[in-house]
Amino acid sequence: MYRRDLRDTSRDGLLADMATADLAVQAAPSPDDDRIAYARTREDQTDLWLHEDGADARLTSEGVTAMRRGRGDTQWLAWGPDGDRIAFVDAAGTLSTVDADTGEVETLTHHDDPDLGLAWGAPGIAAVTNAVSRAALVLVDPDTGSQRVLADDDYLYNDPRWGDDALYAIRAPHRSLFDFESELVRFPIEDGTVAADPELVVAEDAVRVQTPRPHPDGDGVAFVHDANGFDEIHYADGEAVAAAEDGSVETTTVHAAAETEVGAPAWHPAGDRLAFTATAEGRSHVGVTALDSDADLLSEDDAFHTGPVWLDGDVYTVRGDPMTPPQVWNASAGEPAIETGSVGFHERLARPTEFTFRSGGREIHTIVYPPVGGFPEEPDSVPVLVHPHGGPTAFDDFGWDYRSQYFAALGYAVAMPNYRGSDGYGRAHRMANDGDWGGGDLDDVIDAAEATADAFAAVDGDRAGIFGGSGGGLMTVNALGNTDAYDAGAAFYGVYDYETFVDDTDDVGWQLMKRELGDLATDLANYREASPIRDVPDIQDPVLVLHGEEDTRVPLSQSEQLCEELEKHGKRHELQSYAEEPHGFSQRENVVDAYTRVADLFAKYLRLDPDDGSSRPHRPDEA
């Protein structure tokens, strides 16, 4: 399946550089001075760093857990009230603290199942954990590690935050998984003790509530919900919260914007204004709004901001753009706050553009990376790769995407459609594929190659490939089995047989299957009919299948089953697995190996010949 004489292998160095670029993940300012703790990924390991007096020091060396999800980010690191220690979740999912002065790490919990987020207040560290049951809420003593269960019930808990008079959190029924319906609850603090019986603050059928942010002076809580179709910031003052009954509370709309997901509110210490993010058409800007006046945006560029926080009157975020890996950013000043050392990419990378196309009566916003240097004038001169995102409740944006940049550097146009089911475009679009997996969403992906060719004269829609991971992997196989629009595909760690998947996946995967496809006992036909593996007999083009051997979300057995079926029907395919890789590839050697194999596949079947003598005709090392 490989012919490395058909592509420019000099771009492999660019891929390696991008795959190991330093990335900032989440930042937290100290409560009593100008220090900033932040999570930073370097060489496939995320650690905790401290920025102080213009210098940076690494506080941990064994790895921490931190992930960027956007406007509803879980808090993975938090300062103690005294500003001397920082709580974090280590790489194994264990709650720990580190001394900001000495770097001494103390492990607080010893769970077999991971902790999933935290908040540190005067009563202790509130943590979401799987050790009690799926996404239960516990209170951990930061000095002794002893813990008390606050909530272990029929709900999943998320994003705990401390107020003066209560601990606030989000909870959702297990099948909702926070993307369909969730509630805001509070655990009152009485005489210094946190009550174990939560009170409902906001609960409404088919409404998603997110990101509770208690007022710094104890006067109620700000939060986000999507009752009007897009996320908006609302505020309930102390009197309204006290009068709330059965999830019905009187609120004020602080900020909403047409066709925009407004989220991630962060109170100024004075309590008179909030920072926020505003996400629309793949861009996430940052802004500030007072409770009684209009909002001001602090950014307008093609970029993606997450996790706003306040420090000395300025708003800080984590910001990435198509040519710059995420870094801690002073949004008020419009400049980096912490240089993470990933430089020199701008002149080697492509600047993406966008277009929309209609599919099934819907507008599908699509981000497109042209070849580096822009589209040539010659018509039909550029092959196209369609790259459906995973999730499916995720979306592609104008942030850092080294995979698309690599293929743009090789001369492809890379189209990333935010198909039905994508987040970031309102509730109706996010839920548009519920009960219709492999229906309208698949149509959007199938149509994307031709639509890109129609939008850009240089793109040749007759030379099209498709690749994606997780939900994008299953979409890749689904597309190859349901259309002749693509000439080759690469599927990373996807779900291909839903019936067997439910036996081997984790709780999140199982709950998602039950919500979308029903119960196996009564709805088995749904599982079989929706599975991409059913269309293997109709696949006519080569398929490269890639998977990590330590994947617990989507086990390797899914790719093995797919390849057994491809072999049974005599289809051209190959399976490549990677030891020690979980759900998603991160180790440099594995990323380079995987994506250069994909590049070889597309170079061979989409006939992209560099013809400059720079390539080498050999197979990759199979050892």
Side-chain angles (χ1 to χ4, degrees):
M1 206 175 270
Y2 307 100
R3 283 302 303 267
R4 293 208 163 182
D5 55 329
L6 295 179
R7 68 177 177 86
D8 181 359
T9 57
S10 67
R11 301 294 187 176
D12 297 357
L14 173 62
L15 172 62
D17 290 344
M18 292 190 294
T20 56
D22 282 10
L23 312 174
V25 184
Q26 194 172 84
S30 167
D32 56 5
D33 55 31
D34 293 339
R35 294 174 297 170
I36 302 174
Y38 65 101
R40 175 177 179 175
T41 300
R42 170 179 285 182
E43 293 286 346
D44 186 38
Q45 181 169 300
T46 304
D47 276 301
L48 203 60
W49 290 67
L50 184 68
H51 182 75
E52 182 177 11
D53 297 329
D56 296 272
R58 185 158 65 180
L59 290 177
T60 66
S61 59
E62 300 297 325
V64 304
T65 299
M67 291 173 278
R68 296 175 68 240
R69 291 196 176 97
R71 63 191 180 280
D73 276 353
T74 296
Q75 187 170 244
W76 294 100
L77 57 142
W79 288 85
D82 297 332
D84 56 348
R85 290 188 291 166
I86 304 158
F88 66 94
V89 179
D90 70 16
T94 298
L95 182 64
S96 304
T97 65
V98 59
D99 190 294
D101 292 326
T102 67
E104 181 181 357
V105 174
E106 181 179 356
T107 300
L108 296 180
T109 59
H110 302 276
H111 300 151
D112 291 332
D113 295 293
D115 298 321
L116 306 169
L118 58 97
W120 196 341
I125 301 174
V128 177
T129 182
N130 282 350
V132 178
S133 65
R134 169 73 179 146
L137 186 63
V138 299
L139 181 62
V140 180
D141 187 305
D143 297 315
T144 67
S146 63
Q147 51 187 304
R148 172 180 161 229
V149 176
L150 293 177
D152 173 23
D153 49 35
D154 295 334
Y155 294 90
L156 308 171
Y157 287 81
N158 188 40
D159 202 7
R161 299 284 174 147
W162 289 103
D164 283 352
D165 61 348
L167 172 67
Y168 290 82
I170 299 300
R171 73 180 188 185
H174 281 233
R175 292 194 186 189
S176 289
L177 296 173
F178 298 105
D179 65 341
F180 175 70
E181 181 178 289
S182 54
E183 305 170 342
L184 172 60
V185 298
R186 66 193 294 270
F187 297 79
I189 301 174
E190 301 173 359
D191 299 325
T193 300
V194 183
D197 187 18
E199 300 175 351
L200 266 177
V201 180
V202 182
E204 188 173 344
D205 289 344
V207 171
R208 178 177 70 174
V209 183
Q210 294 189 98
T211 56
R213 299 296 182 260
H215 191 276
D217 295 330
D219 187 16
V221 61
F223 57 93
V224 172
H225 73 64
D226 65 353
N228 293 325
F230 281 80
D231 284 345
E232 304 172 347
I233 299 176
H234 290 248
Y235 169 57
D237 64 20
E239 290 185 5
V241 170
E245 293 184 3
D246 297 326
S248 177
V249 64
E250 183 177 347
T251 69
T252 299
T253 302
V254 177
H255 184 52
E259 303 296 312
T260 300
E261 306 275 28
V262 181
W267 286 105
H268 185 278
D272 61 343
R273 55 196 183 275
L274 288 156
F276 62 88
T277 59
T279 302
E281 294 191 328
R283 299 166 181 85
S284 186
H285 302 304
V286 61
V288 175
T289 183
L291 296 181
D292 56 359
S293 64
D294 294 336
D296 294 319
L297 288 181
L298 303 179
S299 64
E300 296 180 343
D301 49 356
D302 291 346
F304 202 82
H305 292 260
T306 63
V309 293
W310 291 89
L311 179 62
D312 289 339
D314 285 347
V315 179
Y316 288 69
T317 69
V318 172
R319 175 195 180 276
D321 65 43
M323 297 182 174
T324 312
Q327 56 189 328
V328 181
W329 186 263
N330 184 332
S332 298
E335 62 186 20
I338 301 173
E339 296 277 7
T340 52
S342 300
V343 297
F345 286 125
H346 281 68
E347 63 273 15
R348 297 195 283 169
L349 301 181
R351 188 173 297 280
T353 183
E354 64 193 319
F355 77 103
T356 61
F357 67 93
R358 290 193 65 79
S359 175
R362 289 187 173 271
E363 294 289 334
I364 306 301
H365 179 245
T366 304
I367 298 171
V368 178
Y369 282 77
V372 172
F375 284 115
E377 294 183 0
E378 182 182 357
D380 298 331
S381 58
V382 178
V384 60
L385 304 180
V386 172
H387 182 197
H389 61 71
T393 309
F395 65 102
D396 283 312
D397 55 56
F398 281 87
W400 175 248
D401 185 347
Y402 70 82
R403 299 166 182 85
S404 295
Q405 286 285 14
Y406 171 57
F407 289 110
L410 291 174
Y412 296 94
V414 183
M416 303 187 297
N418 281 309
Y419 54 88
R420 273 169 272 191
S422 299
D423 200 4
Y425 296 84
R427 183 181 184 87
H429 193 75
R430 186 176 76 243
M431 311 310 297
N433 66 342
D434 274 17
D436 187 39
W437 278 14
D441 52 0
L442 178 60
D443 292 339
D444 301 341
V445 171
I446 288 174
D447 293 344
E450 182 178 353
T452 306
D454 290 341
F456 303 95
V459 173
D460 183 357
D462 291 330
R463 289 187 291 158
I466 183 170
F467 73 102
S470 192
L474 72 87
M475 195 68 77
T476 293
V477 175
N478 244 345
L480 291 172
N482 284 276
T483 181
D484 59 1
Y486 297 104
D487 302 299
F492 289 75
Y493 38 85
V495 180
Y496 310 116
D497 187 332
Y498 294 141
E499 181 182 357
T500 59
F501 174 65
V502 298
D503 295 328
D504 300 323
T505 186
D506 59 13
D507 285 345
V508 173
W510 169 223
Q511 290 158 12
L512 187 60
M513 290 296 102
K514 286 195 293 184
R515 190 184 80 188
E516 296 297 335
L517 298 173
D519 292 321
L520 275 171
T522 57
D523 302 300
L524 180 58
N526 293 347
Y527 286 75
R528 292 175 175 171
E529 177 63 24
S531 295
I533 202 169
R534 77 190 190 283
D535 291 319
V536 163
D538 297 322
I539 293 177
Q540 301 300 320
D541 301 299
V543 189
L544 176 59
V545 184
L546 308 103
H547 215 118
E549 296 177 7
E550 301 301 321
D551 194 335
T552 57
R553 175 63 50 80
V554 180
L556 175 62
S557 58
Q558 284 292 303
S559 286
E560 292 174 334
Q561 285 180 255
L562 173 65
C563 289
E564 289 174 3
E565 193 72 7
L566 289 164
E567 180 71 23
K568 173 183 174 182
H569 292 279
K571 306 300 180 181
R572 183 127 171 89
H573 71 282
E574 185 165 328
L575 172 62
Q576 181 64 35
S577 64
Y578 295 90
E580 300 181 1
E581 286 287 8
H583 193 60
F585 298 166
S586 59
Q587 297 179 36
R588 172 177 174 159
E589 63 273 18
N590 294 338
V591 169
V592 172
D593 184 80
Y595 283 95
T596 55
R597 288 173 183 265
V598 176
D600 291 340
L601 172 75
F602 290 142
K604 179 178 179 180
Y605 287 96
L606 306 187
R607 303 178 302 283
L608 186 68
D609 189 347
D611 196 30
D612 61 1
S614 65
S615 56
R616 305 189 305 276
H618 73 277
R619 289 172 58 85
D621 184 7
E622 300 288 352

